[in-house]
Amino acid sequence: MEKFRKGLTLQVVIKCILAGGFVLAVLLLPQRTGHMGDIAAGFQWGALVGALGSLGVYIVYTIMSLTSQDALKKRYIAETDERKLYILQKSGSVGLDMCTYGLVMGAVIAGKYNEVVFLTLLVACLFVLIVRGALYVFYANRY
């Protein structure tokens, strides 16, 4: 159980660093002007709010799990459920999550400089999200 606790603590640290990266990317990079700059700025703020919201919920949930031994045990049982792990493994969840975060961060940064790259990364991110959702639904219904 101590190994699981250390793993969750490391995940909290990584998620905090990722949240800080999103904030720095949105706030510190120069803003584009014009119509495309407005679209990029809207996406950047939406991505920032969405990322901070999801990361914040995960961080709070994990910290609450770490404070109580019973909650930690329930979390361990939930995260080591063989069916859930098999579905996530078959749908490539971890790899696609990392790709999604990378594409969103790339789109946020590219939105500050080049609209073609921004739109390309945005479409690629949406494609990855659609594929991930479809694979998860497919394997959840299959197994």
Side-chain angles (χ1 to χ4, degrees):
M1 191 64 72
E2 195 60 35
K3 183 178 178 183
F4 182 68
R5 179 184 297 272
K6 287 180 183 178
L8 286 179
T9 305
L10 179 63
Q11 287 179 13
V12 168
V13 170
I14 290 171
K15 300 286 183 177
C16 287
I17 291 170
L18 186 61
F22 271 110
V23 170
L24 290 176
V26 170
L27 296 179
L28 295 182
L29 293 174
Q31 187 63 36
R32 290 180 54 88
T33 58
H35 179 66
M36 233 13 235
D38 293 340
I39 293 172
F43 173 77
Q44 291 162 358
W45 284 103
L48 177 67
V49 169
L52 290 181
S54 66
L55 291 171
V57 167
Y58 178 83
I59 290 168
V60 168
Y61 174 66
T62 303
I63 290 174
M64 287 174 42
S65 296
L66 290 171
T67 58
S68 169
Q69 189 66 25
D70 291 335
L72 184 66
K73 188 174 181 178
K74 286 181 184 177
R75 174 92 181 254
Y76 178 78
I77 291 170
E79 287 195 12
T80 56
D81 179 37
E82 292 172 356
R83 179 182 178 270
K84 181 181 173 186
L85 288 175
Y86 186 70
I87 291 170
L88 291 175
Q89 181 185 25
K90 292 294 275 185
S91 66
S93 178
V94 176
L96 288 178
D97 281 346
M98 291 173 35
C99 286
T100 303
Y101 282 125
L103 287 171
V104 169
M105 182 65 83
V108 166
I109 293 171
K112 303 279 188 174
Y113 299 106
N114 189 326
E115 61 265 3
V116 174
V117 177
F118 165 70
L119 290 174
T120 303
L121 289 173
L122 181 60
V123 170
C125 180
L126 292 175
F127 177 74
V128 169
L129 287 173
I130 290 169
V131 168
R132 180 179 187 264
L135 285 173
Y136 186 83
V137 168
F138 174 75
Y139 286 115
N141 289 330
R142 186 170 181 188
Y143 300 111

